Amino acid sequence: MTRSGMTFVCLRRHACVLAVFVAMACHGMPRAQDVVAPHGVLPIPQSMQSSGGPPFVISATTPIVVEGGDSAANVARSLAMLLRPSTGHAIAILSPAEAGTQPAIWLSLRPDGTTGSDERYSLTVTQNAVRLAAAHPAGLFRGVQTLRQLLPAAIESHMAMEKASWSIAPVTIEDAPRFAWRGAMLDVARHFFTVKEVEQYIDLLALYKMNVLHLHLSDDQGFRVVIDARPRLTEIGAVSQVGGGEGGFYTKADYATIVRYAADRFITIVPEVDMPGHTNAALSAYPEVACSVRPSAPYAGTDVGWSTVCVDNEASYALLDDIIGEISAMSPGKYFHVGGDEVHTLTSAKYIQFVERVQDLVAKHGKLMIGWEEIGKAHLRSTAIVQQWKGDSAQLALKYGAKILLSPANKTYLDMKYTADTPLGLTWAALIDVRDAYEWDPATFLTGTTEQDLVGVEAPLWSETIRNISAAMTLALPRLPAIAEVGWSPQQNRHWEDFRERLAAQSRRWDYLGMNYYRSGQVPW
């Protein structure tokens, strides 16, 4: 089968795996040396054309050649770190003068003065060279993820495969993302995730060219980051989680580690402190600002809508000012997420009053506000983002010039079950199998909106039913790559039958990376 210059060949493992530009018989489990250029590139590029001829082979003498200074060199080092363990090759990093004319992988950072995405890149593979070029470091890094996926899945192994042939068939790729915001949200409030677990999730996002990790840092069950001015937030507010257990929190050094790890992969951390509802953990530490319908105390349940800060109490805003200020100072990204969802204890007027005042607090600390779709009821600044999740109220914000981030619960909520029999997950929004997560168009999803009204898409993972990163991966894979392709690839390039084959090819990569995944019956594993 051929589409857009790509030839698909079925390889039999215990499943069907997709190869590109390669013809080979279907006999047994493919080994790294059997596969010249396994296809399964996700997200699918804007343009990808085979060129014919012999492949480029990474050998013991193949270097990475860097043009573009320290930023390009940093990306080159990340590529070398990927290639060295599995190939067993030294993979030197050289300047053009040192490289000469030997076959090499070239990474070139070439500011070209043109407008467009910072993540745009071009990749050309011939027998004698791999040439990856971009105008910005983020583009080089995204291109490396494509190069990574053009290599056999065993490139992810931490053990040297001495007999493997690391080959890439000739190809020309021009690529850039459809949307600027391609995110995932991880709820560390209902169940706490360690720094290492968050880093593992960041690695997954990086592989599929996602560029935002939204951290849900507080809820009724836990407040998860140290605020120096308000130490009781973690001394008292971090001790619980859903179902019991000791909870946990991030020190400022921990949070800085996460921010830095994400930045090295060109991923922005967007912190969320939910307010005025979903605040029981903070209110258990500072009950003097609580106006909840239940007494504030450590909470391990999952009910929502019953906790709130006192919106007419100046002490509430002093507390929030301290929280927003300290977290903003630790977060180099532009946005601070204020939550704003599922507030059942305030009148509409009181809710609007609160959102507009908090919007000013966020601006005071140099950030732009983002919140769940309910904040669209307020008078928002044009720089605000409204995160749609359940209905059409997000569109109210468009009259102020604000933008919409799409996270429809029946398409993108990774905490929903795949099927009724899936052990993990919930069902209140929908059963979401892979095809449900993939087959929708953001530009036509909301009536009365256009693509220009959107900043992008985001896949939330709420943690009521998951206690660790292995469980999180099972809910995220294979649906997160589907959302990644929705956000990155042109709509006209996306086709379910093609995608499910490319997705199946990714499973060997997840095996090498030690990532749990759900074997959806919709995918020919």
Side-chain angles (χ1 to χ4, degrees), residues 192-223:
F192 181 67
F193 290 82
T194 67
V195 171
K196 289 299 181 185
E197 287 179 317
V198 175
E199 288 176 348
Q200 289 177 62
Y201 208 62
I202 290 170
D203 286 338
L204 175 61
L205 304 190
L207 176 59
Y208 296 111
K209 301 186 178 72
M210 301 183 92
N211 63 353
V212 174
L213 176 59
H214 165 186
L215 284 179
H216 186 75
L217 291 168
S218 71
D219 214 294
D220 291 322
Q221 299 82 1
F223 193 98

Side-chain angles (χ1 to χ4, degrees), residues 56 62-67 76 79 94-110 122-124 128-133 140 147:
F56 178 87
T62 302
I64 299 172
V65 184
V66 179
E67 296 179 298
L79 175 58
L94 306 177
S95 68
E98 295 169 320
T101 59
Q102 64 180 308
I105 300 169
W106 288 72
L107 300 189
S108 301
L109 190 59
R110 299 172 180 169
S122 62
L123 175 63
T124 303
N128 295 318
V130 172
R131 296 187 180 275
L132 172 60
L140 276 186
L147 176 60

